[in-house]
Amino acid sequence: MPSLSNILLAATLAFSSACSAKTIPVKVGESGLTFEPANIKADVGDILEFWFYAHNHSVVTSTAAKPCEPKTDNGFYSGFFPVAQTGVASDNVFRVTVNSTTPLWFYCSQGKHCQAGMVGAVNAKSTDDFDKFKTAAKAAASNVTPAGDVFGGSVAKASSSSGSGSSGGSSSTTLVPVHSGSASASGAWSSATSSTMPTSGAGAVGVSFSVLVAALGFALA
């Protein structure tokens, strides 16, 4: 049976690790057909927070081999976020928790935005790998939107539309649940089944609790 001190140590280390998770804001379409930043470095537990700008964009995971087609497993899809006013972010954000340091590739599935260079990556092994992905996207024959509704992340309503979350720590943006439907490429919203929504903050508390429980279980084993 492990000692109480070992249990507390394991729990403290797990909690500290979880609290170090950061929110990484990604601006979608603010400066044309771009993600900013496009080539992202993230740790396990970090949260990607996508802020959408005019006119109507999405974010979808793909693969390096097929940059403009949805990944068939363990991916995400934000749905479309129509925004009428130039220079103003959407009222809603799309949030995805990073679960691995394996390279993750994504694109906008609107029109030919992917072929126009609206692609991004998380933990690409090198700048060269990212450039090859972008080049492959330009040559893609089609740009595919996933069938169905939002998956792999959560949509939340932000209290501020500045899109200026912190990349060095937890975002101060207050988030509340919103309707989980997704807009079409034309901007029309459709209903959807409910999905898990965050309550407030950058999600570090929820992550830390789950890690804390896991650490206690390990220590007691």
Side-chain angles (χ1 to χ4, degrees), residues 92 155 177-182 189-192 197:
N92 300 334
V155 177
V178 298
H179 174 59
S180 60
S182 60
W189 281 85
S190 61
S191 62
M197 302 293 176

Side-chain angles (χ1 to χ4, degrees), residues 25-28 30 49-53 87-93 158-166 171-174:
V26 182
K27 296 180 179 181
V28 183
E30 184 188 33
E49 188 171 87
F50 294 92
W51 293 75
F52 296 82
Y53 289 78
V88 177
S90 59
D91 291 334
N92 300 334
V93 294
S159 62
S160 168
S161 59
S162 65
S164 57
S166 169
S171 169
S172 60
T173 301
T174 299

Side-chain angles (χ1 to χ4, degrees), residues 29-163:
E30 184 188 33
S31 303
L33 301 183
T34 62
F35 291 98
E36 299 176 87
N39 193 3
I40 301 165
K41 296 300 180 186
D43 298 316
V44 172
D46 287 352
I47 297 173
L48 307 176
E49 188 171 87
F50 294 92
W51 293 75
F52 296 82
Y53 289 78
H55 293 277
N56 193 11
H57 301 290
S58 68
V59 57
V60 188
T61 40
S62 64
T63 62
K66 296 181 178 180
C68 304
E69 297 182 25
K71 186 179 179 184
T72 56
D73 62 326
N74 297 321
F76 58 77
Y77 169 51
S78 66
F80 285 94
F81 281 69
V83 179
Q85 187 175 350
T86 301
V88 177
S90 59
D91 291 334
N92 300 334
V93 294
F94 181 64
R95 293 156 55 89
V96 176
T97 300
V98 177
N99 295 317
S100 170
T101 56
T102 300
L104 182 153
W105 312 94
F106 58 88
Y107 66 102
C108 174
S109 63
Q110 175 69 271
K112 292 292 184 180
H113 290 191
C114 182
Q115 288 87 339
M118 198 167 184
V119 297
V122 180
N123 295 326
K125 292 182 179 179
S126 66
T127 301
D128 184 56
D129 280 357
F130 177 70
D131 289 342
K132 288 179 179 177
F133 174 68
K134 197 169 183 178
T135 298
K138 291 179 180 179
S142 59
N143 192 16
V144 183
T145 296
D149 301 309
V150 174
F151 61 82
S154 59
V155 177
K157 188 172 183 63
S159 62
S160 168
S161 59
S162 65

